[in-house]
Amino acid sequence: MACWLFKSEPDTYGIDDLARDRIEPWTGIRNYQVRNMIRDDMNLGDEIIFYHSSCKEPGAAGMARISGIARPDPLQFDPASAYYDGKSSKDDPRWLAVDIEFVRKFDRIVTLVELKQHPGLADFKLNRRGNRLSIFPVSSGQRDIILMLERA
DNA sequence: GCCAACGTTGGC
DNA sequence: GCCAACGTTGGC
């Protein structure tokens, strides 16, 4: 089973929001690389590391799973939405969304500082300069290290 | 608020 | 198809 890291700004939507809502449509993805991963590589039940970005304490905040696979992102057709895309058509939707389901909140934030310090995460995409993808794959080894750090 | 990185856009 | 300008991301 694959594992993914999803970034989210906790001021907008954090792990506590997901814990409350249980299932959330992950809309608003407007990057082709990410769209292609959603379309081609994401499967039902895939694990998600839910990551808090652009906040006081950036880091991994909990786990979720894919509970609904790729479907057209409704916001691309909504002129009132900031994610509206007039060049997309219903016959051939440009943007896709998945549904994610809450699994658990970590006992504590596994901070970006810790993730950067661990030698086993040297190749972790989050730790690479210039990484700006809001979703990317996590290897099983990387996933295990993050879960181990949570208990450290 | 700054800045590096990099994706996107659009003129040619 | 090149590339400069611009916008966005996200850590610090």
Side-chain angles (χ1 to χ4, degrees), chain A residues 1-4 6 26 38 41-48 64-70 97-103 135:
Chain A
M1 185 184 305
C3 183
W4 306 90
F6 276 47
W26 212 249
I38 284 181
D41 302 324
M42 270 186 206
N43 292 298
L44 213 57
D46 279 0
E47 284 187 301
I48 295 166
R65 71 165 71 92
I66 302 289
S67 64
I69 57 170
V98 290
D99 295 303
I100 74 170
E101 181 180 12
F102 178 77
V103 172
I135 295 174

Side-chain angles (χ1 to χ4, degrees), chain A residues 74-111:
Chain A
L75 299 185
Q76 70 196 307
F77 305 123
D78 177 3
S81 168
Y83 296 105
Y84 177 69
D85 185 346
K87 292 176 190 162
S88 184
S89 71
K90 296 207 174 185
D91 291 339
D92 186 21
R94 180 178 292 188
W95 303 112
L96 304 172
V98 290
D99 295 303
I100 74 170
E101 181 180 12
F102 178 77
V103 172
R104 70 183 181 93
K105 180 182 177 176
F106 284 169
D107 293 336
R108 63 183 194 86
I109 298 278
V110 180
T111 67

Side-chain angles (χ1 to χ4, degrees), chain A residues 3-151:
Chain A
C3 183
W4 306 90
L5 184 140
F6 276 47
K7 292 182 193 169
S8 189
E9 300 185 15
D11 293 344
T12 306
Y13 197 87
I15 191 71
D16 291 329
D17 298 299
L18 186 61
R20 179 197 62 218
D21 297 338
R22 312 308 291 186
I23 291 179
E24 176 71 4
W26 212 249
T27 54
I29 290 160
R30 296 293 179 269
N31 172 286
Y32 289 104
Q33 274 179 267
V34 174
R35 182 206 62 184
N36 293 348
M37 288 188 282
I38 284 181
R39 185 188 60 199
D40 303 331
D41 302 324
M42 270 186 206
N43 292 298
L44 213 57
D46 279 0
E47 284 187 301
I48 295 166
I49 291 169
F50 195 92
Y51 176 85
H52 284 173
S53 67
S54 294
C55 58
K56 198 180 300 177
E57 194 175 37
M63 301 292 293
R65 71 165 71 92
I66 302 289
S67 64
I69 57 170
R71 58 184 169 86
D73 180 345
L75 299 185
Q76 70 196 307
F77 305 123
D78 177 3
S81 168
Y83 296 105
Y84 177 69
D85 185 346
K87 292 176 190 162
S88 184
S89 71
K90 296 207 174 185
D91 291 339
D92 186 21
R94 180 178 292 188
W95 303 112
L96 304 172
V98 290
D99 295 303
I100 74 170
E101 181 180 12
F102 178 77
V103 172
R104 70 183 181 93
K105 180 182 177 176
F106 284 169
D107 293 336
R108 63 183 194 86
I109 298 278
V110 180
T111 67
L112 180 60
V113 172
E114 292 173 83
L115 298 173
K116 280 183 169 173
Q117 280 172 351
H118 196 286
L121 295 176
D123 290 333
F124 195 41
K125 283 196 170 54
L126 198 67
N127 295 341
R128 305 267 298 278
R129 273 174 89 85
N131 163 55
R132 301 185 319 132
L133 297 182
S134 61
I135 295 174
F136 56 82
V138 179
S139 75
S140 59
Q142 292 166 343
R143 165 198 173 281
D144 291 346
I145 290 171
I146 293 164
L147 295 183
M148 185 196 66
L149 283 173
E150 183 203 359
R151 286 180 251 100

